[in-house]
Amino acid sequence: MARITHLTPAEHALVADAVTRAEEGTDGEIVTIVSERSDQYRDAALHYAVAAALAVVALAAISPGAFEAKFDWLSGGWGDPDARMLLFAVLVAETIVFLIVRFALAWTPLRMALTPPATRARRVRRRAIQYFKVGAERRTEARVGILLYLSLDERMAEIVADEAIHKAVPAERWGEAMAALVDEVRIGRPAEGMAAAVTRIGSILSENFPKTETDRNELPDRLIEL
Protein backbone atom coordinates (compact mmCIF):
# COMPACT_ATOMS: atom_id res chain seq x y z
CA MET A 1 0.00 0.00 0.00
CA ALA A 2 1.29 3.44 -0.93
CA ARG A 3 2.41 5.63 1.94
CA ILE A 4 -0.09 8.38 2.72
CA THR A 5 1.36 11.68 3.90
CA HIS A 6 -1.46 14.18 3.34
CA LEU A 7 -5.21 14.16 2.95
CA THR A 8 -6.93 15.86 0.02
CA PRO A 9 -9.44 18.74 0.41
CA ALA A 10 -12.23 16.29 -0.40
CA GLU A 11 -11.07 14.00 2.39
CA HIS A 12 -10.93 16.94 4.79
CA ALA A 13 -14.50 17.81 3.82
CA LEU A 14 -15.62 14.21 4.35
CA VAL A 15 -14.35 14.16 7.93
CA ALA A 16 -15.65 17.66 8.73
CA ASP A 17 -19.12 16.74 7.45
CA ALA A 18 -19.08 13.60 9.61
CA VAL A 19 -18.23 15.70 12.68
CA THR A 20 -21.03 18.17 11.94
CA ARG A 21 -23.57 15.37 11.56
CA ALA A 22 -22.34 13.52 14.65
CA GLU A 23 -22.66 16.64 16.81
CA GLU A 24 -26.27 17.23 15.71
CA GLY A 25 -27.49 14.75 18.32
CA THR A 26 -25.17 15.55 21.21
CA ASP A 27 -23.73 18.33 23.34
CA GLY A 28 -20.36 16.62 22.93
CA GLU A 29 -17.66 18.28 20.86
CA ILE A 30 -15.52 16.12 18.58
CA VAL A 31 -12.04 17.24 17.53
CA THR A 32 -10.25 15.34 14.76
CA ILE A 33 -6.51 15.52 14.20
CA VAL A 34 -4.32 13.60 11.77
CA SER A 35 -0.53 13.78 11.58
CA GLU A 36 2.09 12.19 9.37
CA ARG A 37 3.76 10.55 12.36
CA SER A 38 3.89 10.98 16.13
CA ASP A 39 7.65 10.87 16.62
CA GLN A 40 10.90 10.71 14.64
CA TYR A 41 12.11 7.69 16.69
CA ARG A 42 15.73 8.80 16.41
CA ASP A 43 16.42 7.30 19.81
CA ALA A 44 15.49 3.89 18.40
CA ALA A 45 18.10 4.31 15.68
CA LEU A 46 20.68 5.25 18.31
CA HIS A 47 19.79 2.22 20.43
CA TYR A 48 20.24 -0.14 17.48
CA ALA A 49 23.57 1.45 16.57
CA VAL A 50 24.88 1.16 20.13
CA ALA A 51 23.68 -2.45 20.34
CA ALA A 52 25.47 -3.28 17.08
CA ALA A 53 28.69 -1.68 18.32
CA LEU A 54 28.50 -3.61 21.59
CA ALA A 55 27.89 -6.79 19.63
CA VAL A 56 31.30 -6.32 17.99
CA VAL A 57 32.95 -6.17 21.42
CA ALA A 58 30.98 -9.21 22.55
CA LEU A 59 32.02 -11.22 19.50
CA ALA A 60 35.66 -10.26 20.05
CA ALA A 61 35.40 -11.38 23.69
CA ILE A 62 33.60 -14.64 22.86
CA SER A 63 35.90 -15.60 19.99
CA PRO A 64 39.19 -13.70 20.28
CA GLY A 65 40.98 -16.21 18.08
CA ALA A 66 38.66 -15.60 15.15
CA PHE A 67 38.95 -11.84 15.61
CA GLU A 68 42.75 -12.09 15.76
CA ALA A 69 42.77 -14.19 12.59
CA LYS A 70 40.59 -11.64 10.82
CA PHE A 71 42.89 -8.85 11.95
CA ASP A 72 45.92 -10.81 10.72
CA TRP A 73 44.24 -11.30 7.33
CA LEU A 74 43.38 -7.61 7.03
CA SER A 75 46.89 -6.53 8.02
CA GLY A 76 48.45 -8.81 5.41
CA GLY A 77 50.25 -10.91 7.99
CA TRP A 78 52.54 -8.16 9.25
CA GLY A 79 53.62 -9.96 12.36
CA ASP A 80 51.66 -11.00 15.42
CA PRO A 81 49.39 -8.23 16.74
CA ASP A 82 49.89 -7.18 20.32
CA ALA A 83 47.10 -6.37 22.78
CA ARG A 84 47.10 -2.66 21.98
CA MET A 85 46.73 -3.30 18.27
CA LEU A 86 43.89 -5.73 18.84
CA LEU A 87 42.07 -3.32 21.15
CA PHE A 88 42.50 -0.56 18.60
CA ALA A 89 41.15 -2.88 15.90
CA VAL A 90 38.10 -3.65 18.04
CA LEU A 91 37.52 0.07 18.57
CA VAL A 92 37.75 0.76 14.84
CA ALA A 93 35.43 -2.14 14.02
CA GLU A 94 32.75 -1.11 16.48
CA THR A 95 32.97 2.51 15.30
CA ILE A 96 32.47 1.42 11.69
CA VAL A 97 29.54 -0.83 12.62
CA PHE A 98 27.97 1.94 14.73
CA LEU A 99 28.16 4.41 11.84
CA ILE A 100 26.82 1.93 9.28
CA VAL A 101 23.79 1.10 11.40
CA ARG A 102 23.23 4.72 12.42
CA PHE A 103 23.26 6.00 8.86
CA ALA A 104 21.19 3.09 7.56
CA LEU A 105 18.50 3.94 10.10
CA ALA A 106 18.51 7.56 9.00
CA TRP A 107 16.09 6.26 6.36
CA THR A 108 12.72 6.85 8.00
CA PRO A 109 10.81 3.79 6.65
CA LEU A 110 13.50 1.42 7.93
CA ARG A 111 13.67 3.20 11.29
CA MET A 112 9.88 3.01 11.62
CA ALA A 113 9.82 -0.67 10.67
CA LEU A 114 12.44 -1.57 13.29
CA THR A 115 10.90 0.47 16.11
CA PRO A 116 9.01 -1.95 18.39
CA PRO A 117 5.19 -1.69 18.10
CA ALA A 118 4.87 -1.05 21.84
CA THR A 119 7.19 1.96 21.52
CA ARG A 120 5.20 3.32 18.60
CA ALA A 121 1.94 2.84 20.49
CA ARG A 122 3.28 4.73 23.52
CA ARG A 123 4.49 7.63 21.36
CA VAL A 124 1.15 7.86 19.54
CA ARG A 125 -0.71 7.86 22.85
CA ARG A 126 1.60 10.51 24.29
CA ARG A 127 1.20 12.75 21.25
CA ALA A 128 -2.60 12.31 21.31
CA ILE A 129 -2.71 13.43 24.95
CA GLN A 130 -0.54 16.44 24.12
CA TYR A 131 -2.86 17.49 21.32
CA PHE A 132 -5.90 16.87 23.48
CA LYS A 133 -4.58 19.14 26.22
CA VAL A 134 -4.04 21.90 23.68
CA GLY A 135 -7.10 21.46 21.48
CA ALA A 136 -9.93 19.99 23.52
CA GLU A 137 -9.36 19.57 27.25
CA ARG A 138 -11.55 21.90 29.31
CA ARG A 139 -12.35 24.00 26.27
CA THR A 140 -16.06 23.27 26.53
CA GLU A 141 -18.26 24.55 29.30
CA ALA A 142 -19.60 21.11 30.22
CA ARG A 143 -16.24 19.31 29.81
CA VAL A 144 -17.55 17.26 26.88
CA GLY A 145 -14.70 17.51 24.37
CA ILE A 146 -13.26 14.39 22.77
CA LEU A 147 -10.28 13.95 20.45
CA LEU A 148 -9.93 11.41 17.66
CA TYR A 149 -6.27 11.28 16.65
CA LEU A 150 -4.75 9.35 13.76
CA SER A 151 -1.01 8.96 13.16
CA LEU A 152 -0.56 7.90 9.53
CA ASP A 153 2.94 6.38 9.47
CA GLU A 154 2.25 4.25 12.54
CA ARG A 155 -1.27 3.43 11.33
CA MET A 156 -2.41 3.88 14.89
CA ALA A 157 -5.17 5.96 16.42
CA GLU A 158 -6.20 7.17 19.85
CA ILE A 159 -9.35 8.54 21.45
CA VAL A 160 -8.89 10.90 24.38
CA ALA A 161 -11.95 12.22 26.21
CA ASP A 162 -12.65 15.14 28.50
CA GLU A 163 -13.54 14.80 32.16
CA ALA A 164 -17.33 14.40 31.87
CA ILE A 165 -17.11 11.91 29.00
CA HIS A 166 -14.40 9.90 30.72
CA LYS A 167 -16.61 9.50 33.78
CA ALA A 168 -19.75 8.55 31.85
CA VAL A 169 -18.38 6.28 29.12
CA PRO A 170 -16.20 3.21 29.81
CA ALA A 171 -13.04 3.13 27.70
CA GLU A 172 -14.05 -0.13 26.02
CA ARG A 173 -17.08 1.58 24.44
CA TRP A 174 -14.75 3.26 21.97
CA GLY A 175 -13.52 -0.08 20.63
CA GLU A 176 -16.01 -0.17 17.75
CA ALA A 177 -15.02 3.31 16.63
CA MET A 178 -11.35 2.42 16.73
CA ALA A 179 -11.94 -0.79 14.79
CA ALA A 180 -13.84 1.07 12.07
CA LEU A 181 -10.99 3.56 11.75
CA VAL A 182 -8.15 1.04 11.70
CA ASP A 183 -9.91 -1.20 9.15
CA GLU A 184 -10.11 1.66 6.66
CA VAL A 185 -6.59 2.91 7.36
CA ARG A 186 -5.17 -0.52 6.58
CA ILE A 187 -6.60 -0.38 3.06
CA GLY A 188 -5.44 3.17 2.45
CA ARG A 189 -8.66 5.07 3.25
CA PRO A 190 -7.83 7.16 6.34
CA ALA A 191 -10.48 9.81 5.74
CA GLU A 192 -13.23 7.22 5.37
CA GLY A 193 -11.97 5.59 8.56
CA MET A 194 -11.99 8.88 10.44
CA ALA A 195 -15.53 9.59 9.24
CA ALA A 196 -16.75 6.14 10.26
CA ALA A 197 -15.16 6.47 13.69
CA VAL A 198 -16.65 9.93 14.18
CA THR A 199 -20.11 8.57 13.38
CA ARG A 200 -19.76 5.89 16.04
CA ILE A 201 -18.36 8.36 18.56
CA GLY A 202 -21.32 10.65 17.91
CA SER A 203 -23.72 7.79 18.51
CA ILE A 204 -22.16 7.01 21.90
CA LEU A 205 -22.11 10.68 22.88
CA SER A 206 -25.78 11.12 21.93
CA GLU A 207 -26.70 8.33 24.35
CA ASN A 208 -24.89 9.95 27.26
CA PHE A 209 -24.97 13.65 26.35
CA PRO A 210 -28.05 14.23 24.19
CA LYS A 211 -28.51 17.54 22.44
CA THR A 212 -29.94 20.35 24.57
CA GLU A 213 -31.43 23.68 23.55
CA THR A 214 -28.59 25.64 25.11
CA ASP A 215 -25.84 23.75 23.29
CA ARG A 216 -23.53 25.69 21.01
CA ASN A 217 -20.68 24.64 18.78
CA GLU A 218 -17.65 25.39 20.94
CA LEU A 219 -14.90 23.63 18.98
CA PRO A 220 -14.20 23.59 15.22
CA ASP A 221 -15.62 20.75 13.13
CA ARG A 222 -12.82 20.82 10.58
CA LEU A 223 -10.14 18.15 10.39
CA ILE A 224 -6.81 19.43 11.67
CA GLU A 225 -3.83 18.07 9.77
CA LEU A 226 -0.40 18.51 11.33
Side-chain angles (χ1 to χ4, degrees):
M1 187 186 74
R3 179 170 171 260
I4 300 169
T5 57
H6 296 287
L7 274 62
T8 66
E11 290 173 320
H12 275 258
L14 176 66
V15 177
D17 289 345
V19 172
T20 300
R21 290 194 303 270
E23 291 181 353
E24 288 176 353
T26 177
D27 282 357
E29 293 287 332
I30 303 171
V31 176
T32 54
I33 298 179
V34 60
S35 69
E36 183 177 354
R37 72 180 66 90
S38 293
D39 194 85
Q40 294 298 325
Y41 303 100
R42 291 192 175 94
D43 57 330
L46 181 60
H47 294 161
Y48 276 110
V50 170
L54 292 176
V56 173
V57 179
L59 288 173
I62 293 171
S63 183
F67 193 88
E68 185 174 342
K70 180 66 68 174
F71 178 83
D72 187 58
W73 176 76
L74 289 173
S75 65
W78 291 355
D80 295 329
D82 59 21
R84 287 186 302 175
M85 292 177 64
L86 285 174
L87 288 174
F88 180 73
V90 170
L91 176 62
V92 171
E94 67 176 346
T95 301
I96 292 172
V97 169
F98 175 89
L99 292 175
I100 289 173
V101 175
R102 187 70 182 85
F103 282 110
L105 291 177
W107 187 44
T108 300
L110 179 60
R111 189 168 68 247
M112 291 286 295
L114 292 179
T115 300
T119 299
R120 284 183 274 132
R122 286 195 300 270
R123 302 288 170 85
V124 171
R125 177 66 179 176
R126 184 176 67 186
R127 186 55 56 89
I129 292 173
Q130 289 174 345
Y131 288 150
F132 173 74
K133 289 180 179 295
V134 173
E137 186 178 32
R138 299 184 179 181
R139 293 190 62 188
T140 62
E141 185 176 350
R143 304 289 192 269
V144 286
I146 185 168
L147 169 69
L148 174 62
Y149 172 66
L150 171 63
S151 194
L152 291 171
D153 274 3
E154 292 89 343
R155 298 181 189 175
M156 294 180 180
E158 286 287 345
I159 293 175
V160 187
D162 219 333
E163 183 179 349
I165 298 175
H166 181 70
K167 289 180 179 179
V169 182
E172 56 268 19
R173 286 293 309 276
W174 309 117
E176 185 179 345
M178 293 294 288
L181 172 55
V182 172
D183 287 345
E184 294 288 352
V185 170
R186 284 174 178 167
I187 59 175
R189 290 159 42 100
E192 287 79 357
M194 292 281 283
V198 164
T199 299
R200 287 163 173 77
I201 290 171
S203 177
I204 295 172
L205 291 178
S206 65
E207 296 174 11
N208 295 273
F209 305 95
K211 194 77 167 180
T212 61
E213 294 181 357
T214 58
D215 178 63
R216 56 190 177 87
N217 194 8
E218 298 175 271
L219 298 176
D221 294 348
R222 67 182 178 87
L223 172 64
I224 301 170
E225 187 168 7
L226 302 172

